[in-house]
Amino acid sequence: GINFNTAIAYTSLYNNTSGLTNTGVGGCSGDQNEGGIDNVYVGFRSGYENVSGEQNVFLGNRTDVTSANLTGVSVIGSDAKATTDWSTILGVNYTNVGIGFSDIIGGPQARLDVWRHELGSFFYVSNPTAVKIENDDVDVAGVSGAGIG
């Protein structure tokens, strides 16, 4: 029958037997997927270990999961891996994430770095457990090393 899968590159979605609406772009992308549904794999060996997980997005070479059947993960950045359902992973452990840093010399300087261009200031968080930024108010919980400049 029609499964609406798209595979572009050597062994992309190679083991798919019953999976539906998956897209694999890059060598070995989604290679181990057998029955997963609604997954997107972009990059060499992206999502390689995903066998039956659903609604996942893998963007970058060797982005992956640590369990064969996770659901709802978004993994972005080479070698990044998701370990739990419904999580978004940006990069590996030493990655700094910047929001609003397009064309800012030096880039993000902390694990989470938010540039507030309209005010000419920045907000950085080194070890966040919760951060909420709304208009000019900043609420930080369980943070060491947070600051506003």
Side-chain angles (χ1 to χ4, degrees), residues 54-80:
E54 299 180 359
Q55 301 173 335
N56 300 309
V57 175
F58 302 94
L59 181 58
N61 291 340
R62 296 172 305 280
T63 50
D64 216 339
V65 290
T66 59
S67 174
N69 63 347
L70 294 183
T71 296
V73 303
S74 297
V75 186
I76 302 170
S78 291
D79 297 309

Side-chain angles (χ1 to χ4, degrees), residues 12 15 23 26 30 36 41 54 58 60 62 75-76 79 84 94 103 112 120 134 143:
S12 179
N15 288 302
T23 301
Y41 310 91
E54 299 180 359
F58 302 94
R62 296 172 305 280
V75 186
I76 302 170
D79 297 309
T84 59
Y94 46 85
D103 204 30
L112 175 60
E134 184 176 310
V143 174

Side-chain angles (χ1 to χ4, degrees), residues 4-78:
F4 299 105
N5 292 305
T6 302
I8 301 172
Y10 180 74
T11 72
S12 179
L13 302 177
Y14 183 77
N15 288 302
N16 187 67
T17 55
S18 61
L20 304 171
T21 60
N22 297 291
T23 301
V25 179
C28 304
S29 59
D31 183 83
Q32 299 301 308
N33 181 63
E34 293 176 2
I37 299 171
D38 296 333
N39 296 296
V40 176
Y41 310 91
V42 179
F44 174 73
R45 286 184 63 100
S46 57
Y48 187 84
E49 297 296 329
N50 184 47
V51 175
S52 59
E54 299 180 359
Q55 301 173 335
N56 300 309
V57 175
F58 302 94
L59 181 58
N61 291 340
R62 296 172 305 280
T63 50
D64 216 339
V65 290
T66 59
S67 174
N69 63 347
L70 294 183
T71 296
V73 303
S74 297
V75 186
I76 302 170
S78 291

